[in-house]
Amino acid sequence: MTARTIQQLFDLSGKTALITGGSRGLGLQMAHALGEAGARIMLSSRKADDLEQATAELQAAGIDARWVAADCAKDAEITRLADETLQRMGDVDILVNNAGASWGAPAEDHPVAAWDKVMNLNVRGYFLLSQVIAKRSMIARRSGRIINIASIAGLGGNPAEMKTIAYNTSKGAVINFTRALAAEWGPYNINVNAICPGFFKTKMAMVLIETLGEEAMAAHAPLRRLGDDEDLKGLCLLLASDAGKHITGQYLAVDGGVSAVTGG
Ligand SMILES: NC(=O)c1ccc[n+]([C@@H]2O[C@H](COP(=O)([O-])OP(=O)(O)OC[C@H]3O[C@@H](n4cnc5c(N)ncnc54)[C@H](OP(=O)(O)O)[C@@H]3O)[C@@H](O)[C@H]2O)c1
């Protein structure tokens, strides 16, 4: 076999990617990355207006993008998201499980309802969507990529003194979910990997960043910076493309080095 060029290995032409939580933040950044590499994009999140706007932004960049509104904390909505995506796009080659939520409260006072809400979306949602997409589109074709967005909060106790026990627990679970699923589905040629972002200025992280201050947050990182609108693009594309076809069951932090200090 003649080895392909690096451009060919990173090319996603003819591939379809489904990205949850794709209407803004890290999900939209990854949608740009995969779309710019040639993939057709299906975005999902709950709010139609935001999805419409995000899709228009991708289309303006020359990307074939569509959307389906769905709540990934609800079983029936996950099934409907899979139904609509498969009907409108054909097969799904790349699934990015990214929709996530957090809740801030000291562990001793953390509401149980908030624990359930976080775990339902961040762990159960990833599992159910992976299951339905793999069963209906990846296993039979012996082909698929699943990228789970975890966090450095899943690697260590408490980066930046976050009082988010359910969130940290859920992200730790996502990392081992990734490894277990990679072990089970490797024989089906489905690669499953996780990305652990550090601190990025998105809606979810803004409360923490505004409370602690941007400079203080950046000071946790050896590179002395927060993540920006480009920093997840490279790793996401590597894990989605043939350039990463021998990588599975792995997690990598994109965090300016925070986890190098905290030991994650
Ligand atoms: N920002 C960071 O510093 C950071 C660090 C580590 C990990 N992460 C992880 O990165 C992922 C994306 O977060 P982000 O920072 O980009 O946050 P964000 O800007 O707040 O975006 C969250 C996305 O998820 C969607 N979403 C929320 N609840 C949902 C639900 N129940 N069902 C479907 N979609 C839902 C939101 O849209 P709707 O509200 O319209 O549904 C939005 O599209 C999360 O898994 C998060 O834990 C972020």
Side-chain angles (χ1 to χ4, degrees):
M1 171 188 160
T2 317
R4 285 173 283 172
T5 64
I6 199 74
Q7 286 79 10
Q8 289 167 330
L9 288 170
F10 279 104
D11 183 18
L12 294 181
S13 300
K15 305 286 184 192
T16 296
L18 168 59
I19 302 166
T20 68
S23 63
R24 60 172 189 257
L26 305 187
L28 185 53
Q29 179 179 156
M30 291 186 283
H32 272 283
L34 303 183
E36 287 158 17
R40 294 187 312 148
I41 304 295
M42 179 61 96
L43 294 181
S44 187
S45 67
R46 290 168 301 178
K47 295 184 203 84
D49 288 353
D50 291 356
L51 284 164
E52 186 68 53
Q53 208 177 321
T55 305
E57 181 183 309
L58 292 170
Q59 286 167 349
I63 294 166
D64 180 343
R66 301 156 209 205
W67 59 268
V68 176
D71 185 340
C72 281
K74 296 186 178 150
D75 298 19
E77 300 245 323
I78 290 174
T79 308
R80 184 178 53 76
L81 169 59
D83 287 346
E84 278 194 38
T85 302
L86 295 171
Q87 191 194 350
R88 289 169 57 194
M89 309 289 274
D91 284 308
V92 171
D93 302 290
I94 302 152
L95 168 63
V96 183
N97 284 310
N98 166 75
S102 185
W103 189 277
E108 61 275 25
D109 295 324
H110 198 293
V112 174
W115 172 279
D116 289 343
K117 195 179 156 200
V118 169
M119 295 298 277
N120 259 349
L121 179 63
N122 296 12
V123 185
R124 198 166 182 275
Y126 282 23
F127 164 59
L128 290 177
L129 190 59
S130 302
Q131 186 182 52
V132 65
I133 294 294
K135 255 181 132 162
R136 291 173 56 186
S137 188
M138 292 179 171
I139 291 175
R141 291 188 301 129
R142 295 291 190 268
S143 176
R145 296 299 173 93
I146 297 176
I147 300 170
N148 296 317
I149 305 309
S151 167
I152 56 167
L155 295 174
N158 215 354
E161 294 162 34
M162 294 160 64
K163 294 209 158 94
T164 49
I165 188 71
Y167 181 77
N168 295 31
T169 304
S170 74
K171 294 301 186 178
V174 167
I175 291 168
N176 212 41
F177 166 71
T178 298
R179 291 191 285 219
L181 204 59
E184 247 191 89
W185 288 355
Y188 301 136
N189 196 33
I190 298 172
N191 302 46
V192 189
N193 290 288
I195 298 176
C196 299
F199 305 117
F200 283 71
K201 274 201 283 180
T202 64
K203 190 171 176 195
M204 177 187 279
M206 272 331 268
V207 179
L208 190 66
I209 292 170
E210 276 166 8
T211 310
L212 300 180
E214 196 171 325
E215 256 180 55
M217 291 293 285
H220 286 280
L223 291 178
R224 302 285 187 263
R225 61 192 294 280
L226 302 177
D228 67 23
D229 288 348
E230 304 173 341
D231 288 331
L232 278 193
K233 289 174 100 174
L235 180 57
C236 180
L237 178 56
L238 173 65
L239 297 177
S241 67
D242 277 357
K245 72 177 185 302
H246 205 46
I247 303 171
T248 198
Q250 305 303 307
Y251 62 89
L252 187 62
V254 181
D255 66 348
V258 174
S259 56
V261 179
T262 56

